[in-house]
Every structure is written in C-alpha cells, then in structure tokens.
Amino acid sequence: RRGDRAGPGLSQAPLVCGTPLPGPLALAEAPRRQRAPVRLLCRLAAGGALAAPGGLLPHEHIIGRPPGELLRLAGGGRLLVRRPSLEEYVLLMPRGPAIAYPKDVSAMLLMMDVHPGDTVLEAGSGSGALSLFLSRAVGPKGRVVSYEIRDDHHNLAKKNYRHWRAAWEIGHMEEWPDNVDFILKDISTAAEDMKSVTFDAITLDMINPQSALSVVYPSLKQGGVCTVYLANITQVIDLLDRIRTCKLPFLCESIAEVTHRKWLVLPAKIKNCKSSQTVETQENIEEGTHQKDYDEIHVQDQIVLKDVECNELQKDVLLTESFSDDAETYCSVPYVARPSKWQDAHSGETLSVFYIYIFCTRTSHVATS
C-alpha cells in the first residue's frame, strides 16, 4: 500500500491515488516491531482527538489531509492515516455478536454465486458484517432482505450499515447502494412474508438454522444455493440429519473450513557474518534520508540468525549468483519467511481453538431421503 510522508503543502499537491480525507471515518495504523500494527478506527469531528500508543493526534490534523500520510503525534510517534477498506471496517466496527469474518464471507459469496441484481435472504443480521458484503455483491439493482430476532442486534446492524454508507459517500463519485431491508422478526415465523418473494440465494447465520430451513426453502429459486455459517462440526451433523428426516429438497454440495494464515517476511540481520552484512558506502550514506522515510512506514525488526543459519544462507546466495549476473542485486540480503505469531482470528486477537464451517446446499427436484 502506498504511503507518503507528511510535509508542508502536501495536501494541496496533485494526488496519484486517493482523494483528500475530510470524511467522518479514518483508519490509523501504528506499526509495531515484528507484530501486527495497531489499527484504530475513528469518526472524525471538530475538536476531537485520536488517542494512540504514541500520543494524541487532533482530528483537525487529519481532516483535509490526503489518505496514506504519516502524521506526527504529540508524544513524538507517527501514525499512518488512511481510509478503511470494507474488510477493515467490519473487523473494527462496534459489534455485539460475533461477525462473519471476511475470509469466510468470501467463500460464502463464491458458493452462492451472487451476481449484481440478485435478491438474497439473510437470516441473522448480527452486527451487519455479512449484510455489508452482500450489499456490495448485489449492487444497486439487487436487494438483500436481512432478518434478526434480537432488537439490540437489529439496531446495531442498521447503525453499522448506515455509518459505512455515510463514510463511503465522501470521496466517491457514486453513493453506496441503499439495498438492505433489515427486518426485526423471527425467520421461523416469516413464511407468510416470503410467499411472494423468490430469492436467488439464502444464507443462514443463526444458532438453530434447522428451524429456518423448512420456512425459507419454498422461496429459494430452483437450483438456488443456501449457505449456513456454523461454529462446529456437531452443528453440521445436526443440520444434515434435519434435512434427511424432514425430507427437505436440499442436496449437500460442500462442507468447507476456511483457513487463513498471515506470514512474516523480513530481511535477515546476520551475526558474525561479515560477507552478508551491509557495507557502508558513500551511496548508502547519500540514500540515508530516503531510507529513513521508508523505515517510518515499514517499521519491522530484522530477524537475527545464528552462524549456522548464516552459512546456509550464504550457500543459497552463491548458488543463485551462478544462475544470473544480476543475482547480487536481488540476493545480497537474505530473507526469512515464517508464519506470523500474531494471527487474525475469530476473537480479533489470537487464533481460536474452534473452527467455522460453511455448509453449502442446493435445492433439487427430488427430495433427499
């Protein structure tokens, strides 16, 4: 992601990407050493201030700035400030129940094969994360009907959806479509409401999806897909058993667990290995200023290797040099890649011990037995 160092008059300069950031929603990132950066989502307002690990940043210093700038905090630290993506917004927005995580939503949208203009039924609005992704998928000509049984979840989903639409309008030529109908009602009692509606796809994210299957399937188009978001394999078995015993016209198409793992890739700082250490040349000294600016954005510790690992890396570099004349340019500094110790998970902090299963079923002419 592009980042520009803040400087006098930079906000008035022509921008290659992005537009000025006067909006009500901003994402601030504070890099940490060998760890995921701290991300803070704030709603900008005159007189407000953002409390970050390195000090306070008044909102006036953010409003009007182009996104992607490094801004200095009162305590001397720096923050990279930009607009949040939809993925970042749903991970940081206020939530009551657990959300459908973006990695899982992506798989569900592919399974349902949602297109612009489709009409999709969602049972379990929750905090509104899946509603937002469905809203974008169906587009301005489509429609999402979202049922929620709890009043607090219903109001929170509508609030998060409304705040995202308001933030989107700033800096975009077209407004976010107002295409989600949030309905406060138990889906198992909504059979009469859906008699006149045909859905292209259905998604269920609720504690007891079995109670909704017999109600929603008559409104699903022939060959349409219903996905169910489940927390454990026992729920999957219960769901399959309900389909079998009730002889519902569904065929199980797939049961998937979506894994997502982040990696840490850093240049290695080698101890007692002179041949692979950076040599201080006049060119390096002249580029010190540019490197400082780069380091302010990419603040990560180099990985320190032992002498044995150093010798192995040297062999790899020598082997690579024998294949290309330009190898020294690209391979003079060895890199180490490993899974990050700090993984985004269902709690948003550490890797959870349970998994999320996506159950995908499709309507058929012949009922299962």
Side-chain angles (χ1 to χ4, degrees), residues 344-362:
D344 294 333
H346 307 295
S347 64
E349 296 176 357
T350 57
L351 189 62
S352 179
V353 296
F354 64 89
Y355 301 96
I356 295 294
Y357 294 89
I358 301 171
F359 180 90
C360 178
T361 185
R362 188 183 299 270

Side-chain angles (χ1 to χ4, degrees), residues 81-345:
V81 182
R82 56 182 175 82
R83 285 194 181 90
S85 65
L86 180 57
E87 176 188 5
E88 292 161 334
Y89 176 74
V90 300
L91 290 174
L92 297 172
M93 68 184 185
R95 66 175 73 168
I99 63 169
Y101 278 77
K103 68 180 183 67
D104 300 317
V105 172
S106 300
M108 295 167 72
L109 291 176
L110 288 174
M111 289 177 177
M112 291 188 290
D113 197 25
V114 178
H115 291 83
D118 283 353
T119 301
V120 180
L121 172 65
E122 176 191 16
S125 305
S127 299
L130 182 54
S131 305
L132 280 164
F133 283 102
L134 288 172
S135 173
R136 183 170 66 178
V138 302
K141 295 183 179 181
R143 178 62 52 182
V144 178
V145 181
S146 182
Y147 280 82
E148 175 58 53
I149 190 173
R150 289 185 50 168
D151 182 69
D152 54 342
H153 294 176
H154 171 75
N155 292 329
L156 180 59
K158 289 198 301 182
K159 182 180 178 180
N160 286 333
Y161 179 76
R162 184 173 65 252
H163 284 177
W164 174 255
R165 289 191 69 240
W168 176 267
E169 291 178 3
I170 300 172
H172 294 86
M173 297 297 294
E174 298 180 357
E175 66 176 12
W176 189 274
D178 184 12
N179 57 0
V180 180
D181 297 327
F182 292 99
I183 301 174
L184 180 60
K185 190 172 186 178
D186 186 354
I187 188 68
S188 62
T189 64
E192 291 294 326
D193 302 343
M194 293 185 287
K195 278 187 176 180
S196 59
V197 184
T198 300
F199 296 104
D200 297 286
I202 294 175
T203 179
L204 307 178
D205 182 9
M206 47 195 298
I207 296 176
N208 186 23
Q210 294 91 322
S211 62
L213 282 179
S214 59
V215 176
V216 301
Y217 89 82
S219 299
L220 181 61
K221 73 176 185 180
Q222 190 65 43
V225 173
C226 174
T227 60
V228 186
Y229 198 48
L230 300 168
N232 56 67
I233 200 64
T234 305
Q235 289 179 295
V236 175
I237 295 172
D238 292 341
L239 186 63
L240 283 171
D241 190 59
R242 173 62 67 90
I243 293 174
R244 182 185 63 83
T245 56
C246 295
K247 298 183 178 181
L248 296 176
F250 286 109
L251 293 176
C252 179
E253 193 163 272
S254 66
I255 301 170
E257 172 195 334
V258 182
T259 58
H260 179 82
R261 184 167 65 170
K262 291 189 174 182
W263 281 71
L264 189 70
V265 181
L266 296 174
K269 181 179 179 181
I270 304 174
K271 279 187 174 181
N272 303 323
C273 190
K274 296 181 180 180
S275 61
S276 293
Q277 292 177 346
T278 303
V279 179
E280 193 70 19
T281 63
Q282 184 62 31
E283 184 179 1
N284 291 337
I285 296 173
E286 292 174 355
E287 292 181 354
T289 304
H290 300 289
Q291 184 63 32
K292 181 181 178 182
D293 295 342
Y294 178 86
D295 291 340
E296 287 176 343
I297 300 176
H298 305 275
V299 182
Q300 295 283 357
D301 270 356
Q302 291 177 322
I303 297 178
V304 180
L305 302 180
K306 298 178 181 179
D307 293 341
V308 176
E309 295 171 320
C310 165
N311 295 331
E312 293 297 325
L313 285 169
Q314 276 187 309
K315 293 178 182 178
D316 294 339
V317 172
L318 290 174
L319 287 173
T320 308
E321 287 176 352
S322 64
F323 287 101
S324 172
D325 295 336
D326 298 330
E328 184 177 355
T329 303
Y330 300 101
C331 303
S332 58
V333 178
Y335 278 74
V336 173
R338 70 186 184 199
S340 175
K341 296 180 180 179
W342 301 91
Q343 298 287 342
D344 294 333

